[in-house]
């Protein structure tokens, strides 16, 4: 068993920042990550980092913009923390050598971004995320922080009290991908989840193949509630065959969108008579999909983004990387042909519920980055606000886990008695774990119940249902044993269904039904499909019998996380009958502030999803944010 | 002591196992053996998938130290349907998801930023996700990166590469920072421009794999690590002392001097980093630094 | 548990078909360099006959020069030397960081110029050998 | 200073000298070839001609320098090539000694011959 003060799960921007912070506070910290840190998807971020570091700008303007962008579903303490800490953290990155773009006077450059009242997006070329990731990894190397790379964390070692708020996290179980070894990692102080996005729930996404939402799903099953999962951001211009992002810059420079009939639909069909192609992400995404659904899409799949009229000179000067992207990933020459684009999943606003210190309701379990939801983005994330979230809340989680006193948090975690519970959500099928009565009692692929009612394989809690006060070592050890049983079961199982088939089915249904457009019928259809997949997953097996670099096994374990998260997204979307931010409902075309100024919370509750609501905090340090119409 | 007791306790089971090997064999063991027979038959027999006008042949290197039929490396052939915009990575994913789920390779971002899918495709180091099928001649042959130990199928051991990267003190270490609150260091546009290309490295290892010198001399830092050193040595934000320190690291026997300007690193780098140029500049800098005192 | 399979040395030089210009230049430069230093040793050995007197020297040289094989080898030596010089100049430019983008073209140019010089010199070299 | 000096053993000096000698050799080697194959035909070279040329101090000096730089350049080149193939430890030591001895022998013998030719010895 490995043992450290602080364990950071994930080596992306959030994880690296957390590890450095904990290390600076003197903790013995280790990063456990399924990809080598520099392979994390933070490297894909292009645009920049919002930080109020210039005269004329201030943190409260940043906070205000963020609150407005969130459509008043962000929590003020979180948003204000973000806006206050971001300048310091950003300058810190500069001090660590990050190669920011520069002004003539040698100071870092900033540029305007959608929804910002000041050009405060600090950037490093068109590859800000890459530089941020590498700069922080360099600092990790400098400090000699231990990295267990290509270790897949598959289970949290959490105690078993009835109320999740009484539980404690003692560590994790991880699988050494190269050798197939399963080992326990004990954390003396805390475990920080920084496992990133969940884009693989959809079949068309700008996210990496590794973005399977593992951390959020594991925390969810361990008892930490998920918050605002229905809010998924879709980006309007992604390449159809890969999901690679074509930056808003193309439209900013004057690129136009047209449909198969050659019509400039943003105007011709009145989606945005003023802004046209430059309307906000959600508006453009919906317009494109409407075109496609009404049969005016190309190959029934995409529309065209054309920049040829800008001329070769201007294109190579300002949009050169777009030419490379279209060429390399779609085989299209942007100078000669229009580029095919369609909306793609881009970002998950929701995640594991945390407070400003990154704490979940489970003692010793933290979350930061895209897998967490402190709630700075509310129902819609502004461009350039995710990277500051990584460094601000990553650092705070790291410090707190290392034992630094950050004061009393203003955001509460866990389910309080006074919260409103959703009892009449009409679901076509029972959500949650499958009760398994099957012949094999010792292990079930997705961790359904054993016949005796106790839960085994994926139950993150230590002792399979019996309440016992166990030592931290025992909790980890038992989690390791359970995991070994599950993996053994999956590898030794001889026949059944394979994950690839299930994954495809799940992703298709989510893209079909829980996409930019949502309606009750579709959402219910999705729940049925998810149920079907979940039941089929009971019979999943791993074809590759090898212990060496068994990606088949890893994908199979990830699949379970995708199922749980897909279900959480869909349940939230079904419950929220209003149109707010990224969440659009056909039957409910307006924002309902009287009813819905609240977070959708989902607790696993031993396999039965429990949906409840938590009020939004609009009271800031100095002022209260009044919900206004969100128009730009 | 306690471990000894455990071992004793374990023993009876082992002897049992020996006496009844047939029963002990788990389905996994059986399948590991079966894969061998299946693949023995596969050798020289029909490839997987259908050969017709809409498909192309993908030859993939296979090796697994544990599965019997794969212990001897071999090539498997798959016929993959051609699609517009399809990349080598897409083709591999197709082959894996439709024909053989045991096909193993690293990949993540699908957009040339994570650097995990550098393979040897038709005789050249390339990123799978960045290489269009339509630009290649069929059959398309995909092998793991040369000069690296193969872990399984297309997965190579990157440890050595990481060690070399870490060996050049790849981190900013200027301590003399502006003291003012939120005060950043100044850097001229020209200087940022100078290091720009060198900061684009995604640690894919293609360059190192293509360099014959790196293949022959394991201690050679290699183009990627030298480029990393260049990135810091040329960054004006680090003072002169640090620059000298960095040049001293480059000036080691297995540093820049090993480079024989083969240019293959520059040719294969998916991020178009002018590696040879950077290495040469460091050589000149090192000579200049040493000559100063003569 | 996990072992790695080493594909051996074959991959080092067995890949020559996939070599690019820069690698060929490297190999040829190496080869010509070795030939030249080898020749330098023989050359001094031959010239050492001067120590045994004027006749020995003159006879050895002219004896050797009357052999066709030696003449042909001299042409080879010329080729080797010319290529080494031209590519050497190319490398010097590379070391100075000049014209790196054209490194492949300059290699091809060295080859072509070497061929031209050698072909043009053949008559002079073989004169009177037949 | 000592530290500076020691860094020279790392490879920058050999590398640098290899370039410097190369630059010198381009000129001399071309001259040498031209003189002995085109101006004078190799087949017609006699001892008398050789000594006549060698008696000129400038020519003698050039040729001795040619010999020394070529020896250094060639032997150093061979050594570098071997190092590139991962030569280490005892083997490296042996190669160093063998090459050094060969180079010295070549230089000594060559210089001796040249001096004899020029009639100095
Ligand atoms: C194309 C694109 C462009 C973007 N552009 C911007 C932008 O301009 N500005 C902005 O602010 N935001 C942007 N974003 C959003 C932002 O980049 C992401 O939200 C952010 O990088 C997520 O960082 P992270 O550290 O949370 O996760 P990641 O960087 O995804 O890292 C996750 C880490 O967790 C590890 N991990 C996951 N599961 C496991 C497991 N089971 N066991 C062990 N380790 C595990 C992974 O190995 C990885 O190291 C963009 C996103 C995308 C996709
Ligand atoms: C008598 C003449 C010469 C001899 C004996 C000779 C010999 C050699 C040898 C043995 C090498 C090492 C090759 C290797 O294995 O890598 C070498 C390298 C080299 N030679 Fe020459 N050479 C001679 C003339 C020249 C000339 C005229 C030039 C002209 C520019 C030149 C330029 C170079 C360069 C630049 C290298 C270095 C290659 C490297 O280290 O990267 N040489 N030479
Ligand atoms: S320098 Fe280029 S080829 Fe080498 S590792 Fe970096 S990105 Fe890859
Ligand atoms: S291929 Fe190798 S020899 Fe030098 S130029 Fe590149 S490092
Ligand atoms: S998959 Fe990330 S670089 Fe190709």
């Amino acid at each position: 068993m490995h043992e450290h003060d602080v364990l950071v799960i994930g080596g992306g921007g959030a994880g690296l920042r957390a590890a450095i912070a904990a290390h600076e506070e003197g903790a013995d910290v280790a990063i456990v990550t399924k990809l080598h840190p520099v392979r994390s998807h933070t490297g894909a971020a292009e645009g920049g980092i919002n930080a109020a570091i210039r005269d004329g700008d201030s943190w409260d303007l940043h906070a205000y913009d963020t609150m407005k962008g969130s459509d008043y579903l962000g929590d003020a303490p979180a948003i204000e923390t973000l806006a206050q800490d971001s300048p310091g953290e950003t300058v810190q990155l500069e001090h660590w050598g990050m190669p920011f773009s520069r002004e003539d006077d040698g100071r870092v450059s900033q540029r305007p971004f959608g929804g910002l009242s000041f050009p405060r997006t600090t950037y490093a070329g068109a590859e800000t995320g890459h530089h941020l990731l590498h700069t922080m990894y360099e600092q990790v190397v400098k400090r000699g922080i231990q990295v267990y790379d290509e270790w897949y964390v598959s289970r949290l070692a959490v105690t078993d009290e009835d109320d999740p708020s009484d539980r404690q996290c003692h560590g994790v179980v991880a699988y050494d991908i190269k050798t197939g070894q399963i080992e326990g990692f004990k954390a003396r102080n805390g475990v920080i989840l920084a496992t990133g996005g969940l884009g693989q729930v959809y079949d068309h996404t700008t996210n990496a193949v590794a973005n399977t939402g593992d951390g959020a799903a594991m925390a969810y099953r361990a008892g930490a509630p998920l918050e605002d999962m229905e809010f998924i951001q879709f980006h309007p211009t992604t390449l159809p065959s890969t999901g690679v992002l074509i930056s808003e810059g193309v439209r900013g420079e004057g690129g136009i969108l047209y449909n198969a009939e050659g019509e400039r639909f943003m105007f011709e069909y009145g989606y945005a008579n003023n802004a046209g192609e430059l309307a906000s992400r959600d508006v453009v995404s919906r317009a494109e999909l409407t075109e496609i659904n009404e049969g005016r899409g190309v190959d029934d799949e995409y529309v065209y983004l054309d920049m040829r009229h800008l001329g070769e000179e201007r294109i190579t000067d300002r949009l050169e990387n777009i030419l490379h992207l279209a060429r390399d990933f779609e085989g299209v020459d942007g100078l000669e042909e229009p580029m095919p684009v369609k909306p793609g999943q881009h970002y998950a606003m929701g995640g594991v519920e945390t407070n400003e210190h990154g704490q979940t309701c489970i003692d010793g379990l933290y979350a930061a980055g895209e897998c967490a939801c402190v709630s700075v983005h509310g129902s819609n994330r502004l461009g350039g606000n995710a990277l500051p979230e990584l460094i601000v809340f990553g650092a705070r989680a790291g410090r707190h886990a290392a034992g630094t006193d950050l004061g009393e948090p203003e955001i509460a975690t866990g389910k309080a008695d006074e919260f409103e519970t959703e009892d009449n959500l009409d679901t076509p099928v029972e959500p949650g774990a499958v009760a398994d009565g099957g012949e094999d009692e010792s292990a079930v692929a997705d961790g359904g119940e054993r016949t005796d009612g106790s839960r085994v394989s994926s139950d993150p809690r230590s002792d399979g249902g019996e309440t016992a006060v166990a030592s931290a070592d025992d909790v980890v050890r038992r989690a390791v044993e359970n995991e070994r049983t599950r993996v053994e079961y999956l590898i030794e199982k001889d026949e059944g269904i394979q994950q690839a088939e299930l994954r495809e089915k799940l992703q298709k249904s989510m893209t079909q039904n829980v996409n930019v457009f949502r309606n009750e019928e579709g959402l219910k259809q999705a729940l049925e499909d998810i149920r079907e997949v979940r039941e089929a997953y009971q019979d999943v097996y791993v074809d590759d019998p090898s212990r060496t670099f068994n990606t088949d096994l890893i994908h199979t374990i990830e699949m379970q996380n995708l199922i749980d998260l897909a279900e959480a997204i869909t349940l939230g979307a079904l419950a929220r009958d209003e149109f707010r931010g990224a969440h659009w409902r056909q039957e409910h075309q307006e924002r309902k502030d009287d009813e819905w100024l609240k977070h959708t919370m989902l607790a696993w509750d031993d396999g039965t999803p429990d949906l409840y609501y938590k009020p939004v905090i609009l009271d800031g340090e100095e002022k209260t944010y009044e919900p206004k119409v969100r128009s730009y | 002591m306690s471990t000894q007791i455990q071992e004793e306790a374990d023993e009876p089971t082992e002897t049992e196992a020996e006496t009844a090997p047939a029963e002990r064999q788990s389905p996994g063991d059986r399948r590991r053996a079966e894969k061998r027979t299946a693949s023995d038959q596969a050798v020289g027999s029909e490839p997987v998938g259908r050969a017709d006008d809409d498909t192309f042949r993908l030859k993939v290197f296979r090796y697994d130290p544990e599965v019997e039929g794969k212990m001897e490396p071999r090539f498997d052939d798959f016929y993959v349907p051609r699609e517009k915009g399809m990349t080598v990575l897409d083709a591999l994913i197709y082959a894996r998801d439709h024909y053989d789920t045991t096909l193993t390779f690293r990949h993540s971002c699908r957009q040339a930023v994570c650097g995990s899918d550098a393979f040897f495709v038709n005789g050249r180091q390339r990123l799978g996700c960045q290489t269009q099928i339509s630009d290649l001649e069929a059959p398309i042959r995909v092998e793991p990166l040369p000069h690296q130990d193969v872990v399984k199928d297309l997965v190579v051991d990157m440890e050595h590469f990481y060690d070399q990267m870490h060996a050049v003190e790849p981190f900013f270490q200027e301590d003399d920072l502006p003291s003012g609150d939120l005060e950043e260091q100044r850097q001229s546009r020209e200087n940022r421009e100078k290091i720009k290309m060198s900061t684009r490295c995604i640690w894919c290892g293609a360059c190192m794999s293509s360099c014959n010198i790196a293949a022959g001399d394991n201690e050679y830092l290699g183009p990627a690590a030298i480029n990393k050193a260049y990135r810091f040595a040329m960054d004006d934000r680090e003072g002169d002392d640090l620059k000298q320190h960095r040049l001293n690291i480059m000036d080691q026997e297995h540093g820049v001097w090993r480079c024989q300007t083969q240019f293959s690193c520059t040719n294969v780098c998916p991020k178009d980093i002018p590696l040879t140029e950077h290495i040469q500049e460091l050589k000149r800098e090192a000579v200049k630094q040493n000559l100063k005192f003569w | 548990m996990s072992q790695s399979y080493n594909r051996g040395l074959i991959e080092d030089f067995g890949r020559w078909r996939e070599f690019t210009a820069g690698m060929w230049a490297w190999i040829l430069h190496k080869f010509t360099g070795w030939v030249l230093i080898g020749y330098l040793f023989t050359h001094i050995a031959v010239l050492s006959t001067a120590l045994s007197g004027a006749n020995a020297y003159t006879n050895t040289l002219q004896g050797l020069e009357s052999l066709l094989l030696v003449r042909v080898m001299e042409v080879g030596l010329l080729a080797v030397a010319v290529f080494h010089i031209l590519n050497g100049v190319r490398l010097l430019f590379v070391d100075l960081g000049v014209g790196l983008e054209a490194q492949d073209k300059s290699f091809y140019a060295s080859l072509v110029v070497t061929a031209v010089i050698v072909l043009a010199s053949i008559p002079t070299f073989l004169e009177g050998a037949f | 200073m000592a530290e500076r000096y020691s860094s020279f053993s790392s490879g920058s000096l050999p590398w640098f000298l290899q370039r410097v000698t190369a630059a010198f050799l381009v000129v001399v080697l071309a001259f040498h070839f031209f003189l002995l194959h085109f101006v004078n035909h190799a087949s017609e070279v006699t001892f008398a001609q050789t000594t006549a040329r060698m008696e000129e101090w400038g020519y003698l000096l050039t040729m001795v320098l040619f010999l020394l730089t070529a020896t250094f350049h060639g032997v150093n080149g061979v050594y570098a090539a071997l190092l590139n193939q991962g030569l280490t430890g005892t083997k490296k030591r042996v190669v160093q000694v063998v090459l050094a001895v060969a180079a010295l022998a070549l230089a000594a013998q060559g210089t001796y011959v040249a001096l004899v030719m020029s009639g100095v010895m």
Side-chain angles (χ1 to χ4, degrees), chain A residues 39 54 95 97 99 102 104 138 150 207 209 242 327-328 491-492 494 498 543-545 548, chain B residues 26 28 30-32 66 101 106 108 110 114 132 135 152 183-185 189 192 203 228 231 237:
Chain A
R39 320 249 175 256
R54 290 285 176 262
H95 287 181
R102 300 282 165 167
D104 285 337
E138 287 158 15
E150 297 192 333
N207 281 198
V209 176
T242 46
R327 168 87 205 75
D328 294 343
I491 290 195
E492 294 296 327
D494 216 3
Q498 294 199 349
D543 186 38
D544 191 345
T548 309
Chain B
S26 71
R30 207 196 67 237
R31 275 189 300 134
R32 276 183 279 275
E66 267 181 277
T101 39
R106 288 193 185 97
S108 183
R110 305 164 301 140
C114 75
Q132 289 286 317
D135 290 348
K152 174 176 169 182
E183 195 52 50
E184 68 258 44
Q185 303 167 83
R189 277 179 191 242
R192 139 98 185 155
W203 296 46
K228 192 80 177 166
R231 178 247 171 282
R237 289 175 294 173

Side-chain angles (χ1 to χ4, degrees), chain A residues 501-537:
Chain A
E501 193 181 323
L502 297 178
R503 192 180 282 221
E504 194 178 321
K505 188 165 174 195
L506 181 83
Q507 291 175 334
K508 279 232 165 74
S509 177
M510 289 300 285
T511 303
Q512 180 73 37
N513 301 308
V514 201
N515 208 293
V516 175
F517 288 127
R518 297 167 175 185
N519 58 37
E520 189 170 331
E521 196 192 337
L523 295 172
K524 287 187 169 164
Q525 180 60 46
L527 282 177
E528 284 173 34
D529 293 343
I530 294 167
R531 190 68 194 172
E532 231 171 85
V533 169
R534 195 189 274 285
E535 274 162 15
Y537 186 78

Side-chain angles (χ1 to χ4, degrees), chain B residues 260, chain C residues 29-30 33-34 36-37 84-85 88-89 92, chain D residues 18-19 22 25-26 29 70 73-74 77-78 81:
Chain B
Q260 302 290 299
Chain C
H29 197 81
K30 198 186 259 280
W34 285 69
L36 286 177
I37 185 70
H84 195 86
I85 291 182
V89 171
L92 289 178
Chain D
Q18 184 78 355
R19 318 290 124 169
L25 285 171
V26 189
L29 184 60
H73 179 94
V78 166

Side-chain angles (χ1 to χ4, degrees), chain A residues 315-335:
Chain A
I315 294 173
T316 35
D317 182 38
R318 306 206 190 159
L319 299 166
E320 195 193 333
N321 72 321
I322 301 296
L323 287 178
H324 292 307
L325 293 177
R327 168 87 205 75
D328 294 343
F329 303 111
E330 199 65 47
V332 165
D333 181 352
L335 292 173

Side-chain angles (χ1 to χ4, degrees), chain A residues 225-240:
Chain A
L226 297 178
E227 180 171 347
D228 291 337
M229 292 300 286
E230 64 272 28
F231 297 107
I232 302 284
Q233 186 168 73
F234 295 87
H235 200 286
T237 52
T238 69
L239 296 175

Side-chain angles (χ1 to χ4, degrees), chain B residues 89 107-117 127-130 202:
Chain B
L89 179 63
H107 65 299
S108 183
C109 68
R110 305 164 301 140
Q111 45 191 281
V113 297
C114 75
S116 42
D117 64 339
L127 290 184
C129 62
Q130 203 191 27
I202 54 173

Side-chain angles (χ1 to χ4, degrees), chain B residues 210-211 213 220 223 258-266 276 279:
Chain B
S210 78
C211 176
I213 306 297
Y220 174 39
R258 282 289 80 88
C259 169
Q260 302 290 299
T261 59
Q262 282 188 359
F263 283 94
S264 39
C265 53
T266 309
T276 314
I279 299 171

Side-chain angles (χ1 to χ4, degrees), chain A residues 35-36 38-41 43-44 46 52-54 87-89 91 93-109 124-127 130-131 134-135 137-139 141-143 149-150 178-179 200 203 205-211 241-245 302 324-332 337 488 490-494 498-500 504 541-552 555, chain B residues 25-32 34-35 64-67 70 83-87 89-90 93 96-116 129-132 134-135 151-153 155-159 161-162 166 169-175 177-190 192 195-196 199-205 228 231-232 235 237 270 272:
Chain A
L35 305 174
H36 184 279
V38 301
R39 320 249 175 256
S40 304
H41 206 54
E46 297 170 5
I53 52 175
R54 290 285 176 262
E89 285 294 337
V91 171
L93 287 173
E94 199 284 332
H95 287 181
W96 284 337
M98 180 160 159
F100 283 107
S101 294
R102 300 282 165 167
E103 289 303 311
D104 285 337
D105 63 359
R107 309 214 301 174
V108 301
S109 301
E127 56 249 2
H130 165 84
H131 293 310
H134 282 256
T135 302
Y137 179 64
E138 287 158 15
Q139 292 299 312
V141 173
K142 181 179 182 184
R143 289 164 171 75
D149 91 83
E150 297 192 333
K178 192 172 163 193
T179 65
Q200 289 299 316
D203 68 0
T205 171
T206 61
N207 281 198
V209 176
N211 285 9
S241 59
T242 46
V244 168
L245 189 85
Y302 49 85
H324 292 307
L325 293 177
R327 168 87 205 75
D328 294 343
F329 303 111
E330 199 65 47
V332 165
E337 314 158 70
E488 202 61 22
L490 285 172
I491 290 195
E492 294 296 327
K493 188 167 153 51
D494 216 3
Q498 294 199 349
Q499 68 86 24
E504 194 178 321
Y541 84 111
V542 174
D543 186 38
D544 191 345
S546 174
R547 312 267 153 179
T548 309
F549 225 95
N550 193 332
T551 47
D552 193 6
H555 293 299
Chain B
Q25 203 191 31
S26 71
D29 291 336
R30 207 196 67 237
R31 275 189 300 134
R32 276 183 279 275
E34 263 174 21
K35 291 256 159 178
D64 189 318
E66 267 181 277
V67 175
K70 282 170 80 184
E83 270 167 48
K84 185 168 163 54
M86 192 178 220
T87 63
L89 179 63
D90 294 335
I93 292 176
R96 180 193 66 198
D97 289 353
H98 292 85
Y99 301 140
D100 183 356
T101 39
T102 70
L103 180 58
T104 305
F105 47 92
R106 288 193 185 97
H107 65 299
S108 183
C109 68
R110 305 164 301 140
Q111 45 191 281
V113 297
C114 75
S116 42
C129 62
Q130 203 191 27
T131 308
Q132 289 286 317
S134 54
D135 290 348
V151 176
K152 174 176 169 182
D153 292 354
V155 175
V156 294
D157 191 343
M158 295 290 284
E159 257 348 283
F161 178 78
Y162 295 148
H166 292 170
E169 304 188 8
F171 36 76
F172 194 77
Q173 39 188 337
E174 180 60 60
D175 292 328
L177 298 168
S179 52
D181 216 19
L182 298 187
E183 195 52 50
E184 68 258 44
Q185 303 167 83
R186 302 299 173 102
Q187 182 184 27
S188 69
R189 277 179 191 242
E190 295 70 45
R192 139 98 185 155
I195 61 164
K196 185 176 88 183
T199 59
R200 293 207 169 147
C201 173
I202 54 173
W203 296 46
C204 68
K228 192 80 177 166
R231 178 247 171 282
F232 289 105
D235 191 326
R237 289 175 294 173
D272 298 330

